[in-house]
Amino acid sequence: MLYLAILCLATCIASSSTHARGEWEDGLNFRFPNVTSPQPFNISVEPAFVNETLTKVSLYRPSRDIFSTWTNEGPARANITELASYWATDYDWFHVQDQINSNFSHYATSVTGIENYTAPVPLHFVHERSADPDAIPLLLLHGWPSTHLEWQKVIKPLSSQAGNVSFHVVAPDLPGYGFSPAPTQPMTVQSMGYAMDALMRQLGYDKYGIVSTDLGWFVGLWMVADVGSNVIGHFSDFWFIQPNATDLARFANNETTPEETDYINTLNAWTASHEAYLLTHSTKPLAISLAMSDSPVGFAGWAWDLIRTVSGGYMYETADIITSTMMLYIQGTHGNIRLYLEAFKPSIQAWPATTIPTAVSEWSWAGGPFPELANAAAPLSWAQRTANVTFYNHHDSGGHFPAISETDAWIEDLQAFFSQIVS
Ligand SMILES: *[C@@H]1O[C@H](CO)[C@@H](O)[C@H](O)[C@H]1NC(C)=O
Ligand SMILES: *[C@@H]1O[C@H](CO)[C@@H](O)[C@H](O)[C@H]1NC(C)=O
Ligand SMILES: *[C@@H]1O[C@H](CO)[C@@H](O)[C@H](O)[C@H]1NC(C)=O
Ligand SMILES: *[C@@H]1O[C@H](CO)[C@@H](O)[C@H](O)[C@H]1NC(C)=O
Ligand SMILES: *[C@@H]1O[C@H](CO)[C@@H](O)[C@H](O)[C@H]1NC(C)=O
Ligand SMILES: *[C@@H]1O[C@H](CO)[C@@H](O)[C@H](O)[C@H]1NC(C)=O
Ligand SMILES: *[C@@H]1O[C@H](CO)[C@@H](O)[C@H](O)[C@H]1NC(C)=O
Ligand SMILES: *[C@@H]1O[C@H](CO)[C@@H](O)[C@H](O)[C@H]1NC(C)=O
Ligand SMILES: *[C@@H]1O[C@H](CO)[C@@H](O)[C@H](O)[C@H]1NC(C)=O
Ligand SMILES: *[C@@H]1O[C@H](CO)[C@@H](O)[C@H](O)[C@H]1NC(C)=O
């Protein structure tokens, strides 16, 4: 008996320490149920992890930089120390978590049978159904450094029949983002698209619309190609189209239209001075994630610098920057940063032409800190090379996150596009 008790003392200490972590899934830092169909879900991050994060935040070592303002080299010391100090003293993750849980209906599920991906794909998603049973099922695909929270201002208006069309809104966190656990094997953009389609069909939505932005646009474009018979229309506010060799030759000969010239100049300015994060994420996602997953403030600065570059002058609250950071930091950054490697493989950018009705809703980056990036809207004729563009609108402001910065105008574009499709 005594012998057994001693044995237990040894193994029970070992198992109680693994148990503390095991309950939160190895390294995941939040609860996720082992389920195969949609179950109501509350976000619940391990308190000890939140506490450990605050300790790291409070130990933040300010940079020794030579600038007093935010430059194209990165954030100024003052902006980051201010963020760190707000995070350490005023920011309350558990309050944010309660809001996220109470603002929307959250679910957890997993989907299986995904092409080239042998494990189940666990997914967290928001599902807000319209009171109109005939509403259009709508899948919202965010990018980086976003999560389903990029849609927080549009979910209720879209599902509440405020416009002439209403929607059953499905807003997942992409695998590796927010509270969808990261893939445990390399997952292609196409496989991710199949997983998103499987989610919609698991919910009983055999025909649905897609809304995409940023990296979600790559996923959406492949869904239109691979599972297009299920898709009634694709709306995107992001058209990061690359010039082809003929365009570049015309550009070199001064034969491009003024619109094409402006856009190519913007792409060149982007490549010359603002693309470091994309090159790093798409070539060394694991190496950069080692630092990003270890320093919450460092990661916040990295993401904020990009957000500021592309937001068209829209100013985020410090708390929102911290929340965005937490959403990617909690489970670790490799699982989300790695999507760049998949999205920027040259073969992945060669999506086939589609007949699916497509909305091109473009937003200028004028008003942001870098005037040379103002003309970030690809020419309509370039979008038409692969997409059946049935709706086009160009806005003179808005930046890269228009669902946040220009919510009403963004919703109006979306309503106009889908009302065409169903009328
Ligand atoms: C999840 O549940 C399935 C059966 O429903 C089981 O086979 C599997 O081992 C469980 N996975 C984990 C990680 O517990
Ligand atoms: C989520 O939290 C709310 C409020 O605490 C509670 O009423 C609900 O039962 C919880 N749901 C789940 C699935 O845990
Ligand atoms: C939080 O971390 C501090 C050390 O930074 C520790 O003293 C404290 O007990 C921890 N609190 C909880 C609730 O884990
Ligand atoms: C950085 O800090 C300066 C000085 O407080 C402030 O004017 C500026 O708006 C901050 N930048 C951002 C992006 O918040
Ligand atoms: C939740 O809803 C409240 C009230 O509409 C809003 O102020 C807050 O920003 C929302 N928070 C999140 C995390 O969605
Ligand atoms: C699966 O792999 C094959 C062979 O590499 C490739 O042709 C196909 O596009 C892949 N499918 C997905 C969904 O990634
Ligand atoms: C570039 O696109 C234009 C318009 O579709 C096409 O005429 C041209 O052949 C393309 N050039 C190359 C090298 O693909
Ligand atoms: C294009 O225009 C620029 C500036 O107007 C001029 O310097 C250059 O020589 C032109 N190039 C060609 C190939 O005509
Ligand atoms: C584009 O979509 C519309 C609406 O579904 C359809 O009538 C038209 O034939 C499509 N055009 C092309 C070129 O695929
Ligand atoms: C629906 O509303 C949108 C946005 O307000 C508008 O552009 C569109 O014409 C309307 N469609 C119909 C069929 O009334």
Side-chain angles (χ1 to χ4, degrees):
M1 202 55 192
L2 184 64
Y3 172 76
L4 277 180
I6 290 167
L7 189 69
C8 179
L9 197 61
T11 53
C12 293
I13 287 172
S15 77
S16 81
S17 63
T18 48
H19 181 76
R21 283 281 164 181
E23 186 191 346
W24 301 93
E25 307 254 340
D26 243 357
L28 205 51
N29 303 316
F30 61 93
R31 282 209 173 90
F32 199 86
N34 181 11
V35 290
T36 54
S37 62
Q39 308 288 329
F41 172 73
N42 279 335
I43 290 158
S44 154
V45 177
E46 181 180 15
F49 175 78
V50 174
N51 192 30
E52 182 184 292
T53 302
L54 285 179
T55 304
K56 288 183 177 226
V57 167
S58 68
L59 293 174
Y60 168 63
R61 176 172 69 138
S63 58
R64 294 192 62 194
D65 57 44
I66 54 176
F67 303 111
S68 56
T69 58
W70 202 314
T71 68
N72 60 351
E73 292 189 28
R77 172 189 175 118
N79 293 92
I80 301 300
T81 49
E82 200 182 309
L83 174 136
S85 134
Y86 177 84
W87 194 341
T89 55
D90 295 319
Y91 182 81
D92 178 2
W93 166 259
F94 295 106
H95 174 70
V96 173
Q97 176 174 290
D98 285 348
Q99 277 198 342
I100 295 173
N101 282 331
S102 58
N103 281 5
F104 301 115
S105 307
H106 295 265
Y107 297 85
T109 190
S110 62
V111 296
T112 52
I114 304 308
E115 193 174 306
N116 296 354
Y117 192 84
T118 56
V121 181
L123 293 170
H124 157 250
F125 61 100
V126 162
H127 189 193
E128 291 289 338
R129 275 183 65 84
S130 164
D132 174 3
D134 297 327
I136 301 174
L138 194 65
L139 172 70
L140 303 179
L141 300 172
H142 66 79
W144 195 96
S146 295
T147 58
H148 79 280
L149 287 184
E150 182 162 349
W151 313 118
Q152 60 182 294
K153 291 184 174 176
V154 303
I155 291 173
K156 284 281 158 68
L158 292 178
S159 60
S160 70
Q161 295 182 280
N164 48 25
V165 242
S166 85
F167 301 92
H168 301 311
V169 176
V170 179
D173 285 336
L174 294 178
Y177 292 70
F179 301 98
S180 290
T184 52
Q185 312 162 9
M187 180 188 275
T188 63
V189 165
Q190 282 182 276
S191 296
M192 201 176 277
Y194 278 108
M196 294 296 118
D197 176 66
L199 169 65
M200 293 305 275
R201 287 183 297 104
Q202 192 181 80
L203 293 169
Y205 299 140
D206 293 335
K207 295 263 180 210
Y208 55 87
I210 297 177
V211 171
S212 73
T213 194
D214 196 79
L215 292 181
W217 176 70
F218 294 82
V219 178
L221 285 171
W222 278 106
M223 290 182 74
V224 164
D226 289 334
V227 296
S229 57
N230 303 338
V231 179
I232 63 166
H234 177 206
F235 174 100
S236 186
D237 59 31
F238 175 84
W239 291 88
F240 186 58
I241 305 173
Q242 299 302 312
N244 70 25
T246 313
D247 300 326
L248 292 175
R250 288 191 299 118
F251 181 72
N253 289 324
N254 293 344
E255 288 163 10
T256 40
T257 66
E259 190 194 15
E260 289 176 322
T261 304
D262 283 351
Y263 180 63
I264 293 174
N265 282 333
T266 301
L267 289 180
N268 288 342
W270 172 256
T271 307
S273 308
H274 304 285
E275 204 183 36
Y277 84 97
L278 192 158
L279 294 176
T280 311
H281 290 186
S282 59
T283 53
K284 296 285 181 184
L286 181 54
I288 189 71
S289 295
L290 300 179
M292 296 303 162
S293 293
D294 198 50
S295 171
V297 177
F299 180 50
W302 181 245
W304 193 10
D305 189 58
L306 172 64
I307 290 169
R308 173 179 174 271
T309 298
V310 302
S311 297
Y314 178 81
M315 295 295 277
Y316 281 82
E317 303 284 334
T318 306
D320 292 336
I321 298 292
I322 297 170
T323 298
S324 297
T325 302
M326 282 295 278
M327 295 292 285
L328 300 181
Y329 174 84
I330 288 164
Q331 64 165 304
T333 62
H334 181 230
N336 48 77
I337 280 178
R338 192 180 180 283
L339 187 52
Y340 281 91
L341 184 152
E342 296 290 350
F344 284 88
K345 286 176 182 162
S347 60
I348 284 299
Q349 299 214 29
W351 42 79
T354 177
T355 60
I356 309 280
T358 302
V360 175
S361 169
E362 295 196 309
W363 303 81
S364 167
W365 295 4
F370 302 109
E372 74 272 22
L373 299 180
N375 300 301
L380 168 60
S381 61
W382 293 16
Q384 286 169 326
R385 291 172 183 173
T386 56
N388 176 14
V389 182
T390 59
F391 174 90
Y392 176 77
N393 201 2
H394 180 273
H395 302 261
D396 292 330
S397 60
H400 182 56
F401 305 101
I404 297 274
S405 61
E406 304 259 2
T407 306
D408 293 344
W410 187 92
I411 289 174
E412 207 164 296
D413 277 6
L414 192 143
Q415 289 271 358
F417 171 60
F418 281 103
S419 83
Q420 256 175 28
I421 289 178
V422 292
S423 64

